[in-house]
Coordinates of all heavy atoms in Angstrom, one line a residue:
G1 N -28.0 76.4 -20.5 CA -29.3 75.9 -20.6 C -30.2 75.9 -19.5 O -31.3 75.3 -19.4
Y2 N -29.8 76.6 -18.3 CA -30.7 76.7 -17.2 C -31.7 77.9 -17.4 O -31.7 78.9 -16.7 CB -29.8 77.0 -16.0 CG -29.3 75.6 -15.3 CD1 -28.5 74.8 -16.2 CD2 -29.4 75.4 -14.0 CE1 -28.0 73.6 -15.7 CE2 -28.8 74.2 -13.5 CZ -28.2 73.3 -14.3 OH -27.8 72.1 -13.8
A3 N -32.5 77.7 -18.3 CA -33.6 78.5 -18.7 C -34.6 77.7 -19.4 O -34.3 76.8 -20.1 CB -33.2 79.7 -19.6
T4 N -35.9 78.0 -19.2 CA -37.0 77.2 -19.7 C -37.5 77.8 -20.9 O -38.1 78.9 -21.0 CB -38.2 77.0 -18.7 OG1 -37.6 76.5 -17.5 CG2 -39.2 76.0 -19.2
I5 N -37.4 77.1 -22.1 CA -37.8 77.5 -23.4 C -39.4 77.6 -23.3 O -40.0 76.7 -22.8 CB -37.4 76.7 -24.6 CG1 -37.6 77.4 -25.9 CG2 -38.0 75.4 -24.5 CD1 -36.7 76.8 -27.0
Y6 N -40.1 78.6 -23.7 CA -41.4 78.9 -23.7 C -41.9 79.1 -22.2 O -43.2 79.3 -22.0 CB -42.3 77.8 -24.2 CG -41.6 77.2 -25.5 CD1 -41.4 75.8 -25.7 CD2 -41.4 78.0 -26.6 CE1 -40.9 75.3 -26.8 CE2 -40.8 77.5 -27.8 CZ -40.5 76.2 -27.8 OH -39.9 75.7 -28.9
G7 N -41.0 79.4 -21.3 CA -41.3 79.7 -19.9 C -40.6 81.0 -19.6 O -41.0 82.1 -20.1
D8 N -39.6 80.9 -18.9 CA -38.9 82.2 -18.4 C -38.1 82.8 -19.5 O -37.6 84.0 -19.5 CB -38.0 82.0 -17.2 CG -36.9 81.0 -17.4 OD1 -37.1 80.2 -18.3 OD2 -35.9 81.0 -16.6
M9 N -38.0 82.2 -20.7 CA -37.4 82.7 -21.9 C -38.4 83.4 -22.8 O -38.0 84.1 -23.8 CB -36.7 81.6 -22.7 CG -35.4 81.1 -22.1 SD -34.7 79.7 -23.1 CE -34.5 80.5 -24.7
A10 N -39.6 83.3 -22.5 CA -40.7 84.1 -23.3 C -40.6 85.5 -23.1 O -40.5 86.0 -21.9 CB -42.0 83.5 -22.9
G11 N -40.7 86.3 -24.2 CA -40.7 87.8 -24.0 C -40.0 88.5 -25.2 O -39.8 87.8 -26.2
G12 N -40.0 89.8 -25.1 CA -39.6 90.6 -26.3 C -38.2 91.2 -26.2 O -37.6 91.5 -27.2
Y13 N -37.6 91.3 -25.0 CA -36.2 91.8 -24.9 C -35.6 91.4 -23.5 O -36.3 91.2 -22.6 CB -36.3 93.3 -24.9 CG -34.9 93.9 -25.4 CD1 -34.5 93.9 -26.7 CD2 -34.1 94.4 -24.4 CE1 -33.3 94.5 -27.1 CE2 -32.9 95.1 -24.8 CZ -32.4 95.1 -26.1 OH -31.3 95.6 -26.5
N14 N -34.3 91.3 -23.5 CA -33.6 90.8 -22.2 C -32.4 91.7 -22.0 O -31.4 91.5 -22.7 CB -33.3 89.3 -22.3 CG -32.6 88.9 -21.1 OD1 -32.5 89.5 -20.1 ND2 -32.2 87.5 -21.1
P15 N -32.5 92.6 -21.0 CA -31.3 93.4 -20.7 C -30.1 92.6 -20.2 O -29.0 93.2 -20.4 CB -31.8 94.4 -19.5 CG -33.3 94.3 -19.7 CD -33.6 92.9 -20.2
L16 N -30.2 91.4 -19.7 CA -29.1 90.6 -19.2 C -28.6 89.5 -20.1 O -27.8 88.8 -19.6 CB -29.7 90.0 -17.8 CG -30.2 90.8 -16.7 CD1 -30.5 90.0 -15.5 CD2 -29.3 92.0 -16.4
K17 N -29.1 89.6 -21.3 CA -28.8 88.5 -22.2 C -27.2 88.3 -22.4 O -26.7 87.1 -22.4 CB -29.4 88.8 -23.6 CG -29.1 87.6 -24.6 CD -29.8 87.9 -25.9 CE -29.5 86.8 -26.9 NZ -30.2 86.9 -28.2
D18 N -26.5 89.4 -22.3 CA -25.0 89.3 -22.4 C -24.3 89.5 -21.2 O -23.1 89.9 -21.2 CB -24.6 90.2 -23.6 CG -23.2 89.8 -24.2 OD1 -22.9 88.5 -24.2 OD2 -22.5 90.7 -24.7
A19 N -24.9 89.4 -20.0 CA -24.3 89.7 -18.8 C -24.2 88.4 -18.0 O -25.2 87.8 -17.6 CB -25.2 90.8 -17.9
Y20 N -23.0 88.1 -17.6 CA -22.8 86.9 -16.8 C -23.2 87.2 -15.4 O -23.5 88.3 -15.0 CB -21.3 86.5 -16.7 CG -20.7 85.9 -18.0 CD1 -19.8 86.7 -18.8 CD2 -21.1 84.7 -18.5 CE1 -19.4 86.0 -20.1 CE2 -20.7 84.1 -19.7 CZ -19.8 84.8 -20.4 OH -19.3 84.3 -21.6
K21 N -23.5 86.1 -14.6 CA -24.1 86.2 -13.3 C -23.2 87.2 -12.4 O -23.7 88.0 -11.6 CB -24.2 84.9 -12.6 CG -25.0 84.9 -11.3 CD -26.5 85.1 -11.6 CE -27.3 84.9 -10.3 NZ -28.7 84.8 -10.6
M22 N -21.9 87.0 -12.5 CA -21.1 87.9 -11.6 C -21.2 89.4 -12.0 O -21.1 90.3 -11.2 CB -19.6 87.4 -11.6 CG -19.4 86.1 -11.1 SD -20.1 85.8 -9.4 CE -19.1 86.9 -8.4
T23 N -21.5 89.6 -13.3 CA -21.8 91.0 -13.7 C -23.1 91.5 -13.2 O -23.2 92.6 -12.8 CB -21.8 91.0 -15.2 OG1 -20.5 90.6 -15.8 CG2 -22.0 92.4 -15.8
V24 N -24.1 90.6 -13.1 CA -25.3 90.9 -12.6 C -25.2 91.3 -11.1 O -25.7 92.4 -10.5 CB -26.3 89.7 -12.6 CG1 -27.7 90.0 -11.9 CG2 -26.6 89.5 -14.0
F25 N -24.4 90.5 -10.3 CA -24.1 90.9 -8.9 C -23.4 92.3 -8.8 O -23.8 93.0 -8.0 CB -23.3 89.9 -8.2 CG -23.9 88.6 -7.8 CD1 -23.4 87.4 -8.3 CD2 -25.0 88.6 -7.0 CE1 -24.1 86.2 -8.0 CE2 -25.6 87.4 -6.7 CZ -25.2 86.2 -7.2
A26 N -22.5 92.5 -9.7 CA -21.8 93.9 -9.7 C -22.7 95.0 -10.0 O -22.5 96.0 -9.3 CB -20.6 93.7 -10.7
I27 N -23.5 94.9 -11.0 CA -24.3 96.1 -11.4 C -25.5 96.2 -10.3 O -25.9 97.4 -10.0 CB -24.9 96.1 -12.8 CG1 -25.8 94.7 -12.9 CG2 -23.9 95.9 -13.9 CD1 -26.6 94.7 -14.3
A28 N -25.9 95.1 -9.7 CA -26.9 95.3 -8.6 C -26.3 96.0 -7.5 O -27.0 96.9 -6.9 CB -27.5 93.9 -8.2
K29 N -25.2 95.6 -7.0 CA -24.5 96.3 -5.9 C -24.2 97.8 -6.2 O -24.4 98.7 -5.4 CB -23.2 95.6 -5.5 CG -22.5 96.2 -4.4 CD -21.2 95.3 -4.0 CE -20.6 95.9 -2.8 NZ -20.1 97.2 -2.8

């Protein structure tokens, strides 16, 4: 729940929706 409804959750699509944070670090590197 560390996301703000009607805030940073607003939008049409999310490429990271099913990516855990450590996965984000891995793909960024």
